[in-house]
Amino acid sequence: MLDHHIQKKIVYALALTPSARFSELKPDGLENKLFDYHLKKVLAAGYVQKSEDGTYTLTPKGRRTGKDVVKREDYLVDRAYSVLFLVVRRAH
């Protein structure tokens, strides 16, 4: 299970490209150690695999999750809600 937004973004980024290197996946402003930790988590969970040439690709499990991983996260945020207020006032 993808527990952290960084892990979800890794899977999402790889869903948009066939393969990527560490430096291509890591967002600017994020420490290497922190990103490496989350990359190892998605590797251990079986969503991502590292090729012999040093690039990262999605596994079949990762492809099934793919682009939808970010959509599920934002689903409730982007959803429009209708609100109805009912006010009852008695005249004296």
Side-chain angles (χ1 to χ4, degrees):
M1 178 122 184
L2 298 168
D3 299 326
H4 196 273
H5 68 93
I6 295 173
Q7 296 169 15
K8 292 176 184 178
K9 288 180 181 178
I10 292 169
V11 172
Y12 182 76
L14 286 171
L16 299 175
T17 186
S19 65
R21 296 197 171 280
F22 181 91
S23 59
E24 296 167 334
L25 287 173
K26 188 181 89 54
D28 294 336
L30 193 63
E31 291 180 23
N32 283 351
K33 277 186 164 182
L34 179 61
F35 185 73
D36 187 51
Y37 170 81
H38 289 290
L39 184 57
K40 286 179 181 175
K41 287 286 197 176
V42 294
L43 284 164
Y47 291 100
V48 175
Q49 63 189 6
K50 186 174 182 178
S51 303
E52 290 181 15
D53 64 355
T55 59
Y56 295 91
T57 58
L58 289 180
T59 62
K61 180 180 179 180
R63 283 193 297 276
R64 283 192 300 274
T65 305
K67 293 182 234 178
D68 293 335
V69 72
V70 175
K71 288 180 186 175
R72 283 192 295 258
E73 177 182 289
D74 296 337
Y75 174 70
L76 295 176
V77 174
D78 294 337
R79 191 169 169 192
Y81 292 94
S82 297
V83 178
L84 174 67
F85 289 101
L86 178 64
V87 178
V88 178
R89 185 174 176 200
R90 279 192 351 195
H92 293 294

